[in-house]
Structure formats: structure tokens, C-alpha cells
Amino acid sequence: LLQPFAHLRAMRRSSQSGSQGTIRFRTTFHNTIYDVYRARGWRETDSDTDWDVAWVDTGWIRENFDNMHLEEHQRINHFRNHYELTRKDCMNKNLKRMQRTLQREDRHDEAKKYDFFPNTYVLPVDYGLFVEEFKHHQAGAIWIMKPIAKAQGKGIFLFNKLSQINEWKKDHRWKPDNPQAETYVVQRYLENPLLIGGKKFDLRIYALVTSFMPLIVYLYRSGFARFSSFRYNTNQKNLGDNYVHLTNVAVQKTGPGYDAGAGCKWPLRSLKLYLIGKFGVQATDRLFFEIQELVINSLLAVQKIMIHDKHCFEMYGYDILIDENLKPWIIEVNSSPSLTADTPQDYELKFGLLDDLYTVIDVENKLGGNVEECVGGYDLIYSNGPVKMDKQSCYTTRLGCFDDRVRQLKKLHKAHAKRSAAAATAH
């Protein structure tokens, strides 16, 4: 699987001459991230403290980070309180608070932009409020319940009657004052998703935050759409069929007739071209720009409460649903998006995603500390303010556009070599 990237490794070896020693890495994963480290010629260490870069799970951060002193050069892949955006209840709380703050400050146009998340309640705390809301909706309206801290579709179920909640309460020995009860979020289910071939899908988009103070955000051009295996419907008898309603790969690959070779993903660029063919360039570009705005606004909602640390960065995996009116909705944000590839195409995407990430982070100081507007497949979309596209472009965002990352990296390193040579001559 590493063979397709032999040209990148060769290019990297030629540019590594003269670098200060070998980078040491520490990771709790043995998947694509491990391959990227090895392809870069970096050396593995099992030390919990003596490393240059670390890619660890959130549990490791929780157990170790507060007791560590990081050296100036060390970089690690999570912020201390990453969960403010990636835990479902915290995300909902922070988005609602940002919306209310903007309304109080009479910044109503900005507040209106926070309409990308469905009505949400946290149970058991908000159970009374939820029941009142439930009663105001027409009979048969569908709701979805999700455990706040689980991933891959685990524990999710749909319902349209309060009696179905009562069954859940019994199953979980639930009591309003029981602190041991597992916390869930309950939301209005988005019943009108855009369908392709009669099937539901959502998008996985990747955003890289290198700093929260100031906020610096890169968006990766490539991503993918994840499809359900069966045609979408909201019939009462199918509310419990996760193969119809959930697009998580972990769910779909357990379904009958799943083709492991083909998978259930479609490249983001292919989806964009399909949408352009069906809805036109202008409507599709507006949709993808709104997705980019959604990413930025969600990060602005947590910026002031994040514990900023210059040693940290975060690669978020955004799950986004598009409805039949071409409106994007945030489903959830993942702090540890899957890096395990299930097809060669998936591997190529994730290898490039992670390899370009470390070119942005620049632990080898090859870019001289510059904040570049384009690094491989990453485009800078926010640097203490929105980054505007070139006026000559016919698009307002590069999300989903052609990603010639290898050519761009060669161009980037060539430009930096020229700057370095000019600086050396000046001295």
C-alpha cells in the first residue's frame, strides 16, 4: 500500500539533507499514521516523554497531559479540552451559547449563521423540556437519540413515541436524579436528506486547527460521502433499521451484501461533480461554501473556552448531512476520526491527509515558520479572520476541488528554497 507514495518519499529524502537529526515519534496507533511516520524516515520511540511528535488517543491525553512538561519543539495531536466540540452535549451547549451571545449583542446576521444544528436536548437533565417540545410537534415526528461519548453509530436509535423512550429508560435503569445514568442527546431527526440513487449519505470533511489564539484553520480539499446500503424511507416498521438510517461505515460493513472491495464511500470531488451536473455550479459552490462557513463558525463557538497550547494541534473529522434543499447540517465532530483505510482509495486519501498535516505543522522547520495559504491538499480558510479566495477563481471555496497535492508540495518547497537562498545571500 505504501508503493503509490514512493515518489513522495524520494522527494522528501532529497529535501531532508542537512535537517537537524531524526524526528522521533510516539503513537498509540498502528495504521495509516504509523505508515506516514515511517515513510518520512522518522524513528519510533516508546517513551511517554522523550519524543518530538506524538499521535495519541484522547484517553492518553486525559491521563497524562496535565502531568507533563512539554519542550519547546514537541507537538501533540489534541488540545487538552478537545471535547468542548467533539462531545455531542458540549458541542450543542457551545453552539447554543454562541448563538445567544450574538443575539444579545444585536449581531443578528451572525447569529442567523448558527442555524446548522438541529433542536437538541441532553437527557436525563433536559427530559422535562424535551417532553414539552415533543408535545408541540405533530404526531409521528421522528427523533433520534445518541449517547454523548460513543462513536461508530453505537447506541443510536430512532423513535416517534414517548413510550419508546420509556422502554429505553427501563432498559438503562434510568432516573432523573441518577448520576450513573448514561447521558444521551435527543434531536429532531432530519427526515428530508438529499438522496442519491434513493440512498441516504453524509459527508466526512477534515479540518486542521494549528492554533486557537489566534484561530488558524486549514480545510482539506478531499473527503468522502458515506452511503447507506438500502433505500431511504421513514416507514414506522423501518425506524429500527440502522442500515437505512445510519451511514457510519462501522454499521454498514456489518450489513447483508456489503462489498468490502467497493466499500460504501464516494470521493468528495466525485460528489461535487455530480451535484454540479444536477443543480448547477452556482448552487453547488454555495453549498460547499456554507459547509466551509459551518466549520469556521463551529470553531469560533469554542475558541474562547479552549485551553490554548502552542504544542497542540487538532485534526477534526466533521460529519455533515445535506438536506433536499441543499442546506448543510452538522451531525457531529470527531476528535479521533478513523485513520484505518478500508480500500486502496481510502488509504491514499488518509495517507495524503496525514502527510500534508505534518508539512503544515512543520516540525522539521522546512517552511521557516511561514503560515502558507496552501500546503498539499490543505487550504488556509481562517487566520485570525476569513481568508479570501483569489478574485480570478470562479469558486468561493476549494473544498471538493481537484487536489494535485504532489505538484503543490514540489512548488511549495521550491518557493521556500528560493526564499532561503535569498535570505542567505542578503546576510
Side-chain angles (χ1 to χ4, degrees):
L1 280 171
L2 283 175
Q3 196 58 36
F5 299 92
H7 57 289
L8 270 181
R9 295 201 300 278
M11 184 179 79
R12 201 173 285 119
R13 279 195 294 272
S14 66
S15 65
Q16 275 180 343
S17 55
S19 61
Q20 300 290 317
T22 303
I23 301 295
R24 298 157 303 163
F25 70 88
R26 166 85 166 88
T27 183
T28 52
F29 298 91
H30 274 70
N31 48 31
T32 315
I33 186 65
Y34 188 84
D35 293 346
V36 168
Y37 285 151
R38 297 304 297 267
R40 280 181 163 258
W42 295 355
R43 178 167 55 87
E44 184 177 14
T45 175
D46 57 4
S47 170
D48 276 339
T49 55
D50 191 19
W51 41 261
D52 301 305
V53 296
W55 193 282
V56 295
D57 56 42
T58 55
W60 192 95
I61 292 286
R62 185 171 57 250
E63 293 168 12
N64 298 285
F65 198 77
D66 287 344
N67 303 315
M68 296 180 67
H69 169 74
L70 295 180
E71 300 296 333
E72 179 73 20
H73 67 283
Q74 291 180 296
R75 302 303 300 271
I76 193 164
N77 67 312
H78 292 297
F79 286 89
R80 175 65 186 85
N81 58 334
H82 59 87
Y83 50 80
E84 293 290 356
L85 185 60
T86 59
R87 222 177 71 176
K88 298 176 184 73
D89 57 335
C90 294
M91 180 183 78
N92 176 63
K93 174 192 69 177
N94 290 318
L95 291 176
K96 279 184 176 177
R97 185 183 61 221
M98 185 67 166
Q99 192 179 46
R100 286 195 300 267
T101 299
L102 292 170
Q103 288 168 344
R104 278 199 306 271
E105 296 173 355
D106 290 329
R107 295 158 66 185
H108 297 292
D109 287 343
E110 292 175 69
K112 286 177 184 175
K113 293 180 180 178
Y114 285 85
D115 65 346
F116 52 77
F117 59 101
N119 221 355
T120 305
Y121 296 90
V122 179
L123 301 187
V125 178
D126 296 334
Y127 183 72
L129 291 172
F130 162 66
V131 171
E132 288 303 310
E133 176 76 13
F134 184 92
K135 290 175 181 176
H136 284 120
H137 288 268
Q138 64 183 36
I142 302 173
W143 299 75
I144 184 168
M145 285 194 66
K146 310 172 187 177
I148 62 165
K150 288 183 180 176
Q152 301 181 325
K154 294 173 183 172
I156 296 176
F157 66 92
L158 277 61
F159 67 94
N160 58 6
K161 297 177 182 177
L162 278 179
S163 59
Q164 292 161 314
I165 287 275
N166 292 333
E167 291 168 19
W168 169 76
K169 286 159 62 175
K170 290 174 188 173
D171 288 346
H172 292 74
R173 295 187 295 279
W174 182 92
K175 294 179 184 176
D177 59 349
N178 178 10
Q180 304 303 316
E182 184 174 15
T183 304
Y184 272 64
V185 292
V186 59
Q187 301 172 321
R188 265 306 308 272
Y189 183 60
L190 298 170
E191 298 182 41
N192 63 331
L194 180 65
L195 305 179
I196 296 180
K199 296 177 181 178
K200 182 180 175 181
F201 68 94
D202 69 0
L203 306 183
R204 166 57 59 84
I205 306 294
Y206 297 99
L208 171 63
V209 176
T210 58
S211 165
F212 272 101
M213 288 292 179
L215 182 61
I216 299 176
V217 187
Y218 286 86
L219 196 61
Y220 203 65
R221 290 187 189 188
S222 300
F224 51 84
R226 305 178 300 184
F227 284 81
S228 61
S229 301
F230 296 92
R231 294 178 72 85
Y232 178 77
N233 68 80
T234 54
N235 296 338
Q236 170 73 30
K237 65 178 183 179
N238 289 326
L239 285 188
D241 190 342
N242 286 347
Y243 301 125
V244 170
H245 295 286
L246 304 186
T247 59
N248 309 68
V249 176
V251 172
Q252 293 298 327
K253 69 182 182 181
T254 64
Y258 176 76
D259 184 345
C264 56
K265 297 176 182 176
W266 204 20
L268 188 62
R269 181 167 182 260
S270 299
L271 175 75
K272 189 171 189 177
L273 291 171
Y274 169 85
L275 295 176
I276 287 173
K278 186 166 185 179
F279 299 104
V281 172
Q282 190 174 3
T284 303
D285 182 54
R286 184 170 59 248
L287 164 65
F288 276 69
F289 182 72
E290 286 177 1
I291 292 172
Q292 178 173 302
E293 289 276 282
L294 177 158
V295 170
I296 291 172
N297 287 326
S298 66
L299 292 166
L300 287 171
V302 298
Q303 181 190 13
K304 292 181 179 178
I305 58 173
M306 292 301 293
I307 302 171
H308 177 68
D309 190 319
K310 64 183 179 182
H311 302 96
C312 303
F313 61 90
E314 194 93 37
M315 185 188 76
Y316 294 103
Y318 278 76
D319 292 343
I320 294 167
L321 183 77
I322 303 169
D323 71 20
E324 62 187 7
N325 300 312
L326 294 190
K327 174 179 172 57
W329 297 84
I330 192 168
I331 302 302
E332 65 178 337
V333 184
N334 299 274
S335 59
S336 299
S338 172
L339 303 179
T340 301
D342 45 24
T343 64
Q345 189 179 44
D346 197 33
Y347 183 89
E348 185 172 350
L349 165 67
K350 288 174 179 174
F351 189 102
L353 171 77
L354 295 166
D355 191 41
D356 291 348
L357 179 150
Y358 277 105
T359 304
V360 174
I361 299 302
D362 196 25
V363 290
E364 295 157 309
N365 198 32
K366 290 181 182 177
L367 302 180
N370 294 319
V371 178
E372 301 286 347
E373 287 201 6
C374 184
V375 180
Y378 281 101
D379 294 298
L380 183 67
I381 61 169
Y382 199 92
S383 182
N384 206 24
V387 176
K388 294 182 180 179
M389 283 278 286
D390 187 334
K391 290 182 180 179
Q392 295 179 340
S393 175
C394 61
Y395 293 106
T396 54
T397 176
R398 295 188 180 93
L399 179 63
C401 291
F402 177 63
D403 179 12
D404 191 357
R405 53 179 297 274
V406 176
R407 183 182 174 198
Q408 199 286 324
L409 287 170
K410 286 181 179 178
K411 183 178 175 182
L412 181 67
H413 286 297
K414 190 174 180 180
H416 177 63
K418 276 188 179 179
R419 287 199 300 264
S420 299
T425 303
H427 286 88

